Amino acid sequence: MIRALAACAALTLTSASGTQACDNQQVHSKSLLQVHGPTDPAPRNHDDLVGLCVVQDDSCFDLQLDKRWHNASWSKDYEFPPDAVQLVVARHGEDLRWLDALPQLPAVVYNRGGADSLLPSPRENLRIVSEENHGREDEVFLHHIVENYDALPQVTVFLQGWPFGHCPGFLKAVRNTISAMLLPGQVAELQGAADASQGLAPLTGTFWQYNINAGRLGLASSLASKHFPLGREREALNYARVLYNETCTKILGGAACPGVEWTAEGAQWAVTRDRIWSTERSIYMDALSLGEGWEGKFRGLVLEALWPVMFGSAQWKPTKVDMIPSQAGQAFNRARSNDGFCASETSGSRKLLFSCQDRVEFCERQRKSGASTGKLFESERLGFKIHDASDFGPWRLEAKLQPILWGSATWWPRASPEAQSMRNVSFDPDIVELDGLLGLRRSDRTDLAAVQWNITESGSGYAFSRLDFRGQQQFLGCQEGLARLLPEPSSWQFIKLLDGWIQMRHTQAGRVLSMDDRSSEGRLYCREAAGLDSSQAAFVLQTLRK
Ligand SMILES: *[C@@H]1O[C@H](CO)[C@@H](O)[C@H](O)[C@H]1NC(C)=O
Ligand SMILES: *[C@@H]1O[C@H](CO)[C@@H](O)[C@H](O)[C@H]1NC(C)=O
Ligand SMILES: *[C@@H]1O[C@H](CO)[C@@H](O)[C@H](O)[C@H]1NC(C)=O
Ligand SMILES: *[C@@H]1O[C@H](CO)[C@@H](O)[C@H](O)[C@H]1NC(C)=O
């Protein structure tokens, strides 16, 4: 999950609508919604607003969410009956306070870790189920379906812990979608919920088309190409194809895998129970027992494309979209909503929207440079190990440094065909120290803890230091092309990538902190910037919580 990235945050990226070859399944809406609210929008008052600190387009700012439905003709005190609709949220550390802006909607949160201070306020129609941290959102959703198969509300909305990532305009999108599903009379007035009348609607504005025969399977293809030696791309794609087809067939309980599928980025769907019931409970159960698969995420990748099939619409494709095949990457096609669905309500932007909680170091740097960061960041930063300048010392921030692995969960060396023994060694995106050298943690060395850094200003850049077990200060530096812990300070310049991701340039050596080209063992190097591709040298600083 965006933690290390929501399903595909890192790869997370027109006019083919046409009529959907879709069943005539209609939502059977009983007249269950009797809405009594003020007809005139009341003036916005403080009680109606929930503030969120967010990052988008290289800036930190406050997003104000209005608790009142739509244009405020619906009061915030209204509640949907529990048999009408339920939000099902898979949490893995994310900031969930946005749920406070949707008090009308019954919700269940499967909480697999993260700060309690980021949970929504308690309320009667919200249940928080604490669980061990295993699996991804597909596991949570399958489990929820299996456990509640006979007691589903009319509409279920499956969501990631931070649903704004792929859907910056999430609040409006989810309200429109639910209205369209439960109040068919209103559909005509609603924008951007084109599929909702069919009882199945994605909560994203970005779509990818996969094609098995063409070997264009999006993230599955990218993953495979990262795990095979250079020069064997064809073999890698074939591996992805076979594994995808096999996983897909298993998920579908042995039924043939459709060769072409549209994926709604992020796996967030609103769906009626009739549609969930179009697949037998035993099929969901079997899919659940398959486990996460390759890289701990392969089933999730395949399911991301298969949810519509599971939900009774094998030929599903997005409507009201523009095709942008030129940006399809490893997929066959890409499409984007053309009616503003899921775009930010204030700026119209569709760029990924992050919580400040995941980008504290970036917002802090903005704040220091004098850029506006919104009011909320002032209180957000108090929860983190940020030490303002004082009589005892200069400004200092404590953080872990992590490489961005662009879509994969772990880093794999591209071993030579001969070195088969390396083929099943993977590396976590955590940086550890071994004999003064720095590198990614091998999957079999969970005993090594990620290095925590003190980051201080140094010249026009930053110094990274830590205390070793003897209490001696060591600094991140460069020596003979390798990143090392050294006794003398070094200064690092941050070169801006998007939304707080950085490249780090060693001021004195003029080299860039980087991974190798996957030919070696997950070490960190200091290399010439020329010739490096961005996937080798992108990092993010995760500020430590107090
Ligand atoms: C609010 O919603 C109602 C019903 O959906 C609509 O008739 C009205 O025009 C809307 N008002 C505004 C200000 O958008
Ligand atoms: C998937 O695998 C099945 C069984 O091996 C095969 O018959 C089918 O042609 C494959 N589908 C695609 C699209 O490659
Ligand atoms: C690779 O996997 C094989 C079989 O699962 C195992 O015997 C071997 O020890 C593994 N190699 C490494 C380096 O982990
Ligand atoms: C950071 O510096 C402070 C003050 O010198 C020290 O107490 C702390 O242990 C350091 N943290 C790390 C991770 O080295």
Side-chain angles (χ1 to χ4, degrees), residues 302-330:
V302 178
L303 255 175
E304 198 177 6
L306 283 187
W307 287 117
V309 186
M310 300 292 265
F311 296 152
S313 186
Q315 304 297 319
W316 182 84
K317 62 181 179 182
T319 51
K320 295 196 176 178
V321 292
D322 291 326
M323 302 291 277
I324 32 173
S326 60
Q327 290 174 35
Q330 297 257 37

Short mmCIF file of all heavy atoms in Angstrom, two decimals, residues 302-330:
data_model
loop_
_atom_site.label_atom_id
_atom_site.label_comp_id
_atom_site.label_asym_id
_atom_site.label_seq_id
_atom_site.Cartn_x
_atom_site.Cartn_y
_atom_site.Cartn_z
N VAL A 302 -2.99 -8.53 -9.77
CA VAL A 302 -3.92 -9.18 -10.70
C VAL A 302 -5.36 -8.85 -10.30
O VAL A 302 -6.19 -8.49 -11.14
CB VAL A 302 -3.68 -10.70 -10.74
CG1 VAL A 302 -4.67 -11.39 -11.67
CG2 VAL A 302 -2.25 -11.00 -11.19
N LEU A 303 -5.62 -8.90 -9.00
CA LEU A 303 -6.98 -8.58 -8.54
C LEU A 303 -7.37 -7.14 -8.86
O LEU A 303 -8.52 -6.85 -9.12
CB LEU A 303 -7.09 -8.82 -7.04
CG LEU A 303 -7.84 -10.07 -6.62
CD1 LEU A 303 -7.76 -10.24 -5.11
CD2 LEU A 303 -9.29 -10.08 -7.08
N GLU A 304 -6.40 -6.27 -8.84
CA GLU A 304 -6.71 -4.87 -9.16
C GLU A 304 -7.42 -4.80 -10.52
O GLU A 304 -8.32 -4.00 -10.71
CB GLU A 304 -5.41 -4.05 -9.18
CG GLU A 304 -5.62 -2.55 -9.07
CD GLU A 304 -4.31 -1.76 -9.02
OE1 GLU A 304 -3.23 -2.38 -9.18
OE2 GLU A 304 -4.37 -0.55 -8.82
N ALA A 305 -7.00 -5.69 -11.42
CA ALA A 305 -7.64 -5.73 -12.74
C ALA A 305 -8.88 -6.62 -12.76
O ALA A 305 -9.72 -6.50 -13.64
CB ALA A 305 -6.63 -6.23 -13.78
N LEU A 306 -8.99 -7.52 -11.81
CA LEU A 306 -10.06 -8.52 -11.87
C LEU A 306 -11.31 -8.19 -11.07
O LEU A 306 -12.30 -8.91 -11.16
CB LEU A 306 -9.54 -9.87 -11.38
CG LEU A 306 -8.67 -10.67 -12.33
CD1 LEU A 306 -8.40 -12.05 -11.76
CD2 LEU A 306 -9.31 -10.79 -13.70
N TRP A 307 -11.27 -7.14 -10.26
CA TRP A 307 -12.46 -6.85 -9.44
C TRP A 307 -13.73 -6.76 -10.28
O TRP A 307 -14.75 -7.36 -9.92
CB TRP A 307 -12.26 -5.58 -8.59
CG TRP A 307 -11.32 -5.77 -7.43
CD1 TRP A 307 -10.13 -5.13 -7.24
CD2 TRP A 307 -11.46 -6.65 -6.31
NE1 TRP A 307 -9.52 -5.55 -6.07
CE2 TRP A 307 -10.33 -6.49 -5.48
CE3 TRP A 307 -12.43 -7.58 -5.92
CZ2 TRP A 307 -10.14 -7.20 -4.29
CZ3 TRP A 307 -12.25 -8.29 -4.73
CH2 TRP A 307 -11.12 -8.09 -3.93
N PRO A 308 -13.72 -6.07 -11.41
CA PRO A 308 -14.97 -6.02 -12.19
C PRO A 308 -15.44 -7.41 -12.62
O PRO A 308 -16.63 -7.67 -12.66
CB PRO A 308 -14.61 -5.17 -13.41
CG PRO A 308 -13.40 -4.42 -13.02
CD PRO A 308 -12.66 -5.25 -12.02
N VAL A 309 -14.49 -8.30 -12.92
CA VAL A 309 -14.86 -9.66 -13.31
C VAL A 309 -15.52 -10.37 -12.12
O VAL A 309 -16.57 -10.99 -12.25
CB VAL A 309 -13.63 -10.45 -13.80
CG1 VAL A 309 -14.05 -11.81 -14.34
CG2 VAL A 309 -12.85 -9.65 -14.84
N MET A 310 -14.88 -10.23 -10.95
CA MET A 310 -15.46 -10.81 -9.74
C MET A 310 -16.84 -10.23 -9.49
O MET A 310 -17.72 -10.90 -8.95
CB MET A 310 -14.58 -10.51 -8.52
CG MET A 310 -13.15 -11.02 -8.58
SD MET A 310 -13.05 -12.81 -8.54
CE MET A 310 -12.79 -13.13 -6.79
N PHE A 311 -17.01 -8.97 -9.84
CA PHE A 311 -18.27 -8.29 -9.57
C PHE A 311 -19.23 -8.39 -10.76
O PHE A 311 -20.10 -7.53 -10.97
CB PHE A 311 -18.02 -6.81 -9.22
CG PHE A 311 -17.21 -6.61 -7.95
CD1 PHE A 311 -16.42 -5.49 -7.79
CD2 PHE A 311 -17.26 -7.54 -6.91
CE1 PHE A 311 -15.68 -5.29 -6.62
CE2 PHE A 311 -16.52 -7.35 -5.73
CZ PHE A 311 -15.73 -6.22 -5.60
N GLY A 312 -19.05 -9.42 -11.57
CA GLY A 312 -20.05 -9.74 -12.59
C GLY A 312 -20.01 -8.90 -13.85
O GLY A 312 -21.00 -8.81 -14.56
N SER A 313 -18.89 -8.26 -14.14
CA SER A 313 -18.82 -7.48 -15.37
C SER A 313 -17.49 -7.72 -16.06
O SER A 313 -16.57 -6.90 -16.03
CB SER A 313 -18.99 -5.99 -15.03
OG SER A 313 -19.06 -5.25 -16.22
N ALA A 314 -17.39 -8.90 -16.72
CA ALA A 314 -16.13 -9.32 -17.31
C ALA A 314 -15.62 -8.35 -18.37
O ALA A 314 -14.42 -8.24 -18.59
CB ALA A 314 -16.27 -10.72 -17.90
N GLN A 315 -16.52 -7.64 -19.00
CA GLN A 315 -16.11 -6.74 -20.09
C GLN A 315 -16.03 -5.29 -19.64
O GLN A 315 -16.04 -4.39 -20.46
CB GLN A 315 -17.12 -6.83 -21.24
CG GLN A 315 -17.33 -8.23 -21.78
CD GLN A 315 -16.06 -8.77 -22.39
OE1 GLN A 315 -15.35 -8.04 -23.07
NE2 GLN A 315 -15.75 -10.03 -22.13
N TRP A 316 -15.95 -5.08 -18.36
CA TRP A 316 -16.01 -3.70 -17.88
C TRP A 316 -14.93 -2.83 -18.50
O TRP A 316 -13.79 -3.24 -18.69
CB TRP A 316 -15.85 -3.67 -16.34
CG TRP A 316 -15.97 -2.28 -15.80
CD1 TRP A 316 -17.12 -1.63 -15.49
CD2 TRP A 316 -14.91 -1.35 -15.56
NE1 TRP A 316 -16.84 -0.36 -15.06
CE2 TRP A 316 -15.50 -0.15 -15.10
CE3 TRP A 316 -13.52 -1.41 -15.70
CZ2 TRP A 316 -14.75 0.97 -14.77
CZ3 TRP A 316 -12.78 -0.29 -15.37
CH2 TRP A 316 -13.39 0.89 -14.91
N LYS A 317 -15.33 -1.62 -18.85
CA LYS A 317 -14.33 -0.62 -19.23
C LYS A 317 -14.81 0.74 -18.76
O LYS A 317 -16.01 0.97 -18.60
CB LYS A 317 -14.06 -0.63 -20.72
CG LYS A 317 -15.22 -0.31 -21.59
CD LYS A 317 -14.76 -0.40 -23.04
CE LYS A 317 -15.92 -0.11 -23.97
NZ LYS A 317 -15.53 -0.23 -25.37
N PRO A 318 -13.88 1.65 -18.50
CA PRO A 318 -14.29 2.93 -17.94
C PRO A 318 -15.03 3.78 -18.97
O PRO A 318 -14.72 3.71 -20.17
CB PRO A 318 -12.96 3.59 -17.55
CG PRO A 318 -11.95 2.95 -18.42
CD PRO A 318 -12.43 1.56 -18.69
N THR A 319 -15.97 4.57 -18.51
CA THR A 319 -16.68 5.48 -19.40
C THR A 319 -16.29 6.91 -19.06
O THR A 319 -15.70 7.17 -18.02
CB THR A 319 -18.21 5.33 -19.23
OG1 THR A 319 -18.51 5.42 -17.84
CG2 THR A 319 -18.67 3.98 -19.74
N LYS A 320 -16.65 7.83 -19.93
CA LYS A 320 -16.29 9.25 -19.76
C LYS A 320 -14.79 9.42 -19.55
O LYS A 320 -14.35 10.03 -18.57
CB LYS A 320 -17.07 9.85 -18.60
CG LYS A 320 -18.57 9.91 -18.82
CD LYS A 320 -19.20 10.85 -17.82
CE LYS A 320 -20.68 10.99 -18.10
NZ LYS A 320 -21.34 11.86 -17.13
N VAL A 321 -14.02 8.81 -20.42
CA VAL A 321 -12.57 8.93 -20.33
C VAL A 321 -11.97 9.35 -21.67
O VAL A 321 -12.61 9.17 -22.72
CB VAL A 321 -11.90 7.59 -19.91
CG1 VAL A 321 -12.24 7.25 -18.48
CG2 VAL A 321 -12.28 6.46 -20.85
N ASP A 322 -10.77 9.88 -21.63
CA ASP A 322 -9.98 10.09 -22.83
C ASP A 322 -8.84 9.07 -22.81
O ASP A 322 -8.25 8.83 -21.76
CB ASP A 322 -9.38 11.49 -22.85
CG ASP A 322 -10.46 12.55 -23.04
OD1 ASP A 322 -11.44 12.27 -23.75
OD2 ASP A 322 -10.31 13.65 -22.46
N MET A 323 -8.53 8.52 -23.98
CA MET A 323 -7.43 7.56 -24.06
C MET A 323 -6.12 8.33 -24.20
O MET A 323 -6.05 9.28 -24.96
CB MET A 323 -7.60 6.68 -25.30
CG MET A 323 -8.91 5.92 -25.32
SD MET A 323 -8.96 4.67 -24.06
CE MET A 323 -8.09 3.38 -24.93
N ILE A 324 -5.10 7.87 -23.47
CA ILE A 324 -3.77 8.46 -23.66
C ILE A 324 -2.74 7.35 -23.78
O ILE A 324 -1.88 7.17 -22.91
CB ILE A 324 -3.40 9.44 -22.51
CG1 ILE A 324 -4.02 8.99 -21.18
CG2 ILE A 324 -3.81 10.84 -22.81
CD1 ILE A 324 -3.55 9.81 -20.00
N PRO A 325 -2.84 6.56 -24.87
CA PRO A 325 -1.98 5.39 -25.02
C PRO A 325 -0.50 5.75 -25.03
O PRO A 325 0.34 4.94 -24.65
CB PRO A 325 -2.41 4.78 -26.36
CG PRO A 325 -3.24 5.80 -27.03
CD PRO A 325 -3.76 6.74 -25.99
N SER A 326 -0.19 7.00 -25.41
CA SER A 326 1.23 7.38 -25.47
C SER A 326 1.87 7.33 -24.09
O SER A 326 3.08 7.29 -23.97
CB SER A 326 1.35 8.79 -26.04
OG SER A 326 0.67 9.69 -25.21
N GLN A 327 1.08 7.35 -23.04
CA GLN A 327 1.66 7.30 -21.70
C GLN A 327 1.35 5.99 -21.00
O GLN A 327 1.33 5.92 -19.78
CB GLN A 327 1.13 8.47 -20.85
CG GLN A 327 1.67 9.80 -21.30
CD GLN A 327 1.01 10.94 -20.53
OE1 GLN A 327 0.69 10.83 -19.36
NE2 GLN A 327 0.79 12.05 -21.21
N ALA A 328 1.15 4.94 -21.77
CA ALA A 328 0.70 3.69 -21.17
C ALA A 328 1.84 2.90 -20.52
O ALA A 328 1.60 1.95 -19.79
CB ALA A 328 -0.02 2.83 -22.20
N GLY A 329 3.08 3.28 -20.78
CA GLY A 329 4.20 2.56 -20.17
C GLY A 329 4.14 1.08 -20.49
O GLY A 329 4.02 0.69 -21.64
N GLN A 330 4.17 0.26 -19.46
CA GLN A 330 4.17 -1.19 -19.67
C GLN A 330 2.76 -1.75 -19.84
O GLN A 330 2.57 -2.95 -19.91
CB GLN A 330 4.84 -1.88 -18.48
CG GLN A 330 6.29 -1.50 -18.30
CD GLN A 330 7.22 -2.58 -18.78
OE1 GLN A 330 6.95 -3.25 -19.78
NE2 GLN A 330 8.33 -2.77 -18.09
#
